[in-house]
Amino acid sequence: MCAIAGIAGVTDPRRTQETVRRMLACLGHRGPDGEGVFSGEGITLGHRRLAILDLSEAGAQPMTSRDGRWTLALNGEIFNYREIAAGLDGPFRSATDTEVLLEAIAAWGVEKTLDRLIGMFAFALWDRRERELILVRDRFGEKPLVYWERAGAIAFASELKALAPLSERRMDPGAVDAYLGLGYVPAPWSIFRDCRKLAAGHVLRFRDGRIRVERWWGAEQNRGGRSGTCPTAEVRRLLTDVVGLRLRADVPVALALSGGVDSSVIAAECVGLGARPAAFSVSFDGDETDAGFARAVAARLGLSLETIRVSADEIPDLFRHYDEPFADSSAIAAMALARALAGRFKVVLNGDGGDEAFGGYRHYERIAAKQAVKRAAARLGWCDGQGPAAVYVQSKALFRVSERSALLNGNWSGNALDQIAGPQVPRDAGAFERALGSDREVYLPNDLAYKSDIALGSAGMEGRAPFLDHRLLEWTGTLPSGALVRGSQKKILLRAAYRGVLPDAVLDRPKHGFGAPIEKWLQAKPMEKTPCPWLDPSGQTGERGQRLWTLLALAGWAREWKATW
């Protein structure tokens, strides 16, 4: 976990350096091991370092290529840096993935280099020859990147809080509408009107005061896989490879072990590779469901396990660290885990992405029939959404369009969820493939990845999610839906591949979400009758559970960040 920040298009270097250093000060929690600033004609790049590979000063950033053309500030990790380095001319000045990425770009260019990367990254690249700033975000949005543009200048950062001094902090009605629907703000929206997020798998080019944003990767154009191989054997081969790459570090690596199938699979692969990371689980006050399963996995694999207890007292920290309203209550557990491991570890493996890779969510059961009913209901006006992608997104909305428009009152600007693009899947794809594609392209980068990045970054740690290796998700994208989900059976292939390796009780357990017991907590500690003064009060009375928490999270965030309309 590192942080990047910068400004381009402003000619006063002293002014931009001062501003960038202030931005970096807002991001110090992400990179406690060093700070660097590069300034050239029309560009200032800044970096906060979390040293994981080559802990010496040779790994300091921003870093300039040997030929002097390229300067790079990287947040994230290029996991296959050793393999890439083998195809480049040396010598290298450091043992970092940053230098390998930089020299690969110098040798092959940006596009060809991106195609070879296995990793999670957001980076800023200055091309001195062309006087062009290039911002790139990884395929599944594991690393965030936000930007602000005005009068031919651009500022960017790893977190929105670093742009807050430049922003008017006026909430974007479309972003608030999307938040009320989904519980998070999806890219390219930002909660602030004058800021935007670079979407996952996209590249932004800034030159001569103009911005151009393009997609550089999409699952539909990059389908992988090996034909003719045994599926369970291929799963094991791929997972051994992706976990092995993510164990590369010059610091100790920990493991988040929930007791679910996904994190248990990662634990098994670690042990199979000869690694025995310290394991940590989270137990909620009021919900002990996962604790016994985590202990069973740790005992089977011979891992030490420490359990972290989480209560409602953790909630205020969310509003200080999450710089957009965020209603996924599992963030409470992520924050507690980060705080417990702070100062002890810099790298934490987790099972994020297993449901998107192998079809683990409950709503995938009989998805074709469900979506057919919802399309019919939408035509009758009983629910929202038209078209395959719109129906799926709208069917997951916390508040319907009519409710959101009433809550936003005079700030309503139309149904934001209709503006979310459908997933990149073949035209003849079925309901399951479209649902899986939507979850991968909308939920995964904007909720799951954002949650982990902000929580761990708040304590100077980096999360690594082997299931988010693009080769794995590309391969599972080539499989027939019946290989992943069949009726009420989910993750069929993954469970079969690890039968006999993990306890049957873990492999056969039903899906159990990692959300906090918000309903119980809110009942035990009642909140104000009208939780969010930024919304129409008449639409908020009587709410409970996740809908109430969504309103409370918006209110708590807005107060913390002094946001207005």
Side-chain angles (χ1 to χ4, degrees):
M1 185 73 62
C2 296
I4 61 174
I7 296 176
V10 178
T11 56
D12 184 348
R14 181 175 179 179
R15 179 177 145 206
T16 56
Q17 285 182 40
E18 291 174 353
T19 303
V20 169
R21 288 193 185 278
R22 287 198 300 270
M23 295 165 70
L24 291 175
C26 297
L27 302 171
H29 52 280
R30 298 179 66 94
D33 297 331
E35 177 178 305
V37 174
F38 165 87
S39 191
E41 189 176 351
I43 182 69
T44 299
L45 299 180
H47 185 265
R48 293 286 311 198
R49 186 184 185 198
L50 180 69
I52 292 174
L53 295 173
D54 190 343
L55 310 186
S56 74
E57 284 300 312
Q61 299 184 48
M63 189 180 289
T64 299
S65 60
R66 287 193 297 264
D67 63 9
R69 176 179 175 181
W70 308 93
T71 300
L72 173 70
L74 167 68
N75 170 28
E77 302 286 345
I78 310 303
F79 297 120
N80 63 330
Y81 73 101
R82 295 175 186 169
E83 290 75 11
I84 293 174
L88 296 169
D89 294 331
F92 291 98
R93 297 161 288 175
S94 71
T96 66
D97 56 336
T98 305
E99 186 180 6
V100 171
L101 172 59
L102 186 60
E103 297 303 334
I105 290 170
W108 305 324
V110 176
E111 288 75 13
K112 290 183 178 179
T113 297
L114 286 174
D115 288 341
R116 303 185 189 203
L117 300 183
I118 300 171
M120 52 179 191
F121 49 84
F123 63 78
L125 182 71
W126 174 246
D127 183 347
R128 180 182 177 188
R129 188 181 75 187
E130 300 297 331
R131 294 179 55 79
E132 182 177 55
L133 172 68
I134 303 170
L135 303 178
V136 181
R137 194 172 179 204
D138 62 53
R139 297 170 178 88
F140 293 107
E142 292 184 76
K143 294 296 149 193
L145 195 56
V146 293
Y147 63 96
W148 169 96
E149 177 194 12
R150 183 171 294 176
I154 186 174
F156 63 89
S158 292
E159 292 184 18
L160 190 61
K161 56 177 64 70
L163 298 180
L166 302 173
S167 172
E168 297 177 351
R169 302 197 190 193
R170 297 177 62 210
M171 291 184 288
D172 185 320
V176 177
D177 180 62
Y179 166 78
L180 291 172
L182 301 173
Y184 54 86
V185 178
W189 278 295
S190 152
I191 193 62
F192 295 137
R193 300 184 188 198
D194 51 5
C195 298
R196 284 291 179 265
K197 300 191 194 87
L198 184 62
H202 281 66
V203 58
L204 181 153
R205 295 177 180 272
F206 177 82
R207 185 177 181 181
D208 297 328
R210 296 186 179 88
I211 286 177
R212 186 172 84 251
V213 177
E214 299 173 342
R215 179 186 284 269
W216 71 267
W217 182 87
E220 170 60 15
Q221 289 81 20
N222 294 276
R223 289 183 164 251
R226 289 182 171 187
S227 59
T229 60
C230 171
T232 54
E234 185 68 357
V235 168
R236 295 293 299 273
R237 184 196 70 80
L238 279 168
L239 279 167
T240 297
D241 183 41
V242 303
V243 172
L245 287 180
R246 284 158 182 80
L247 285 170
R248 290 179 173 177
D250 294 334
V251 294
V253 177
L255 170 68
L257 181 62
S258 70
V261 174
D262 303 330
S263 62
S264 300
V265 164
I266 302 305
E269 286 298 337
C270 286
V271 172
L273 288 163
R276 294 192 175 275
F280 298 85
S281 65
V282 171
S283 178
F284 292 108
D285 284 351
D287 186 351
E288 304 288 332
T289 306
D290 289 326
F293 293 101
R295 287 193 295 268
V297 173
R300 169 69 72 90
L301 299 176
L303 297 176
S304 65
L305 178 67
E306 180 180 327
T307 301
I308 300 157
R309 296 194 64 81
V310 185
S311 71
D313 295 337
E314 311 283 348
I315 289 175
D317 274 350
L318 295 184
F319 308 138
R320 288 192 290 271
H321 292 290
Y322 283 84
D323 44 23
E324 289 192 310
F326 192 62
D328 185 339
S329 64
S330 64
I332 300 170
M335 289 293 301
L337 177 70
R339 189 161 44 253
L341 271 60
R344 302 161 64 186
F345 294 93
K346 289 184 177 181
V347 178
V348 184
L349 296 183
N350 62 55
D352 287 356
D355 291 312
E356 289 79 9
F358 289 95
Y361 293 123
R362 290 175 180 171
H363 52 253
Y364 295 151
E365 295 178 17
R366 300 174 179 84
I367 187 72
K370 290 178 181 177
Q371 295 306 300
V373 170
K374 286 170 182 172
R375 282 196 296 274
R379 286 193 291 270
L380 295 172
W382 297 346
C383 70
D384 301 326
Q386 294 290 340
V391 166
Y392 180 72
V393 173
Q394 297 280 4
S395 70
K396 299 176 71 180
L398 296 162
F399 292 88
R400 287 194 60 188
V401 169
S402 59
E403 295 172 315
R404 302 197 311 265
S405 64
L407 284 168
L408 284 159
N409 203 359
N411 293 300
W412 171 253
S413 60
N415 182 6
L417 299 191
D418 275 348
Q419 300 178 44
I420 295 176
Q424 289 199 321
V425 294
R427 291 184 179 180
D428 59 349
F432 171 74
E433 287 79 9
R434 291 185 180 278
L436 195 65
S438 291
D439 285 334
R440 288 179 175 184
E441 295 189 26
V442 181
Y443 173 74
L444 194 159
N446 297 295
D447 184 302
L448 199 63
Y450 175 68
K451 172 191 68 181
S452 295
D453 179 87
I454 295 295
L456 292 173
S458 72
M461 284 185 287
E462 172 179 279
R464 296 182 177 182
F467 283 111
L468 295 186
D469 191 298
H470 70 280
R471 298 167 300 161
L472 181 65
L473 279 97
E474 286 173 357
W475 179 72
T476 59
T478 68
L479 300 174
S481 60
L484 304 177
V485 174
R486 196 176 307 124
S488 62
Q489 300 177 59
K490 297 176 292 298
K491 291 185 183 172
I492 295 171
L493 181 55
L494 186 63
R495 295 174 196 272
Y498 287 86
R499 185 72 64 183
V501 178
L502 294 170
D504 288 346
V506 171
L507 292 174
D508 295 334
R509 67 178 297 203
K511 171 69 178 175
H512 182 260
F514 203 51
I518 284 292
E519 181 84 18
K520 293 180 181 178
W521 287 355
L522 292 180
Q523 287 175 354
K525 188 177 181 180
M527 302 292 184
E528 58 264 44
K529 187 175 182 181
T530 304
C532 189
W534 286 264
L535 301 176
D536 189 298
S538 63
Q540 301 181 66
T541 57
E543 292 296 354
R544 55 177 294 180
Q546 184 60 39
R547 284 164 61 102
L548 175 58
W549 172 241
T550 300
L551 299 172
L552 290 170
L554 174 60
W557 168 85
R559 290 190 187 98
E560 179 71 27
W561 292 95
K562 298 179 175 60
T564 67
W565 283 117

